[in-house]
Amino acid sequence: MILPIVGYGHPTLRKTAAPIEKDYPNLKELIANMYETMYNADGVGLAAPQVDLPIRLFVVGFRPYDEKTDTYGAPTEEHTVINPEIVGFGPDKDWFNEGCLSVPDIHEDVLRPTTLRLRWMDEEWVQHDEEISGLFARVAQHEIDHLDGKVFTDRLSSLRRTMLKRRLNDIQAGRIQTKYRMKTPKK
Ligand code: ZN
């Protein structure tokens, strides 16, 4: 089932999300719905607060894109991340152009560490403790920000944020068009 995605300015995006237990109700179904919602919106990551649930869970998925047919192939990599804990960061950082399904049509370069050591539970409740890098490391940090009540625009310079203010206000007011369903912020 495709869930509505909450937009910038929604209070749930500003909450610190809570860890969950193994017996969280309908967890498997929720995870399946989050993958479906993410792929439907052409996203590569989706955190539970973005579907209005302030819990520490996110999904990541990468699919090859075929420009000629404008279609996606089967996922080549997927990660279900529950109760993540960043153990440490590697020494290097780089810039990457990020976007967010809750902040449509805004893409900005964000500086983040390129590698990190991450501990988490997967959907089978198996613990992982891995050094991660590449796109997974980038998306994981973006999604963990969501679990901590942050969005990627918070990480921009104050000048950039000032320049984006009108567009962020438009999203907050629901004056946006997306091909996926959004929940406008509660006033
Ligand atoms: Zn996001």
Side-chain angles (χ1 to χ4, degrees):
M1 188 175 71
I2 294 167
L3 308 167
I5 294 174
V6 300
Y8 182 88
H10 192 287
T12 303
L13 290 179
R14 291 304 182 190
K15 284 181 187 156
T16 300
I20 57 168
E21 303 285 342
K22 195 180 177 179
D23 61 356
Y24 186 84
N26 306 317
L27 183 57
K28 284 263 161 81
E29 192 186 338
L30 169 63
I31 291 166
N33 289 343
M34 285 177 63
Y35 276 109
E36 193 182 350
T37 301
M38 174 179 75
Y39 289 135
N40 174 66
D42 297 343
V44 293
L46 184 73
Q50 294 181 275
V51 292
D52 208 5
L53 286 171
I55 58 172
R56 301 191 83 78
L57 157 67
F58 66 85
V59 297
V60 174
F62 306 133
R63 301 175 302 168
Y65 175 65
D66 186 340
E67 247 174 72
K68 278 185 204 145
T69 57
D70 189 28
T71 54
Y72 288 93
T76 52
E77 187 179 334
E78 289 186 330
H79 303 278
T80 303
V81 177
I82 302 167
N83 300 342
E85 186 196 335
I86 294 174
V87 182
F89 291 106
D92 300 325
K93 290 184 178 184
D94 65 1
W95 294 91
F96 188 86
N97 197 252
E98 293 190 21
C100 180
L101 297 177
S102 296
V103 193
D105 299 331
I106 292 180
H107 294 88
E108 293 287 330
D109 289 338
V110 181
L111 184 67
R112 297 187 192 268
T114 54
T115 57
L116 63 148
R117 196 173 139 206
L118 189 66
R119 214 177 269 158
W120 74 96
M121 309 303 284
D122 67 20
E123 66 278 18
E124 304 299 334
W125 219 260
V126 173
Q127 195 185 38
H128 295 249
D129 185 340
E130 296 173 24
E131 175 109 350
I132 66 169
S133 60
L135 196 53
F136 180 30
R138 168 62 59 165
V139 177
Q141 291 176 77
H142 176 114
E143 304 309 329
I144 290 168
D145 274 356
H146 278 304
L147 307 185
D148 294 333
K150 293 193 198 98
V151 293
F152 79 103
T153 50
D154 301 344
R155 294 193 174 272
L156 305 176
S157 68
S158 59
L159 175 66
R160 277 312 296 165
R161 273 186 282 125
T162 303
M163 291 170 79
L164 291 169
K165 199 165 177 33
R166 197 160 55 100
R167 289 163 69 195
L168 290 171
N169 285 345
D170 282 344
I171 297 170
Q172 192 150 354
R175 291 189 295 269
I176 35 153
Q177 291 248 307
T178 47
K179 59 168 231 155
Y180 51 90
R181 195 152 60 98
M182 290 196 80
K183 205 187 259 190
T184 49
K186 291 179 189 118
K187 293 271 155 58

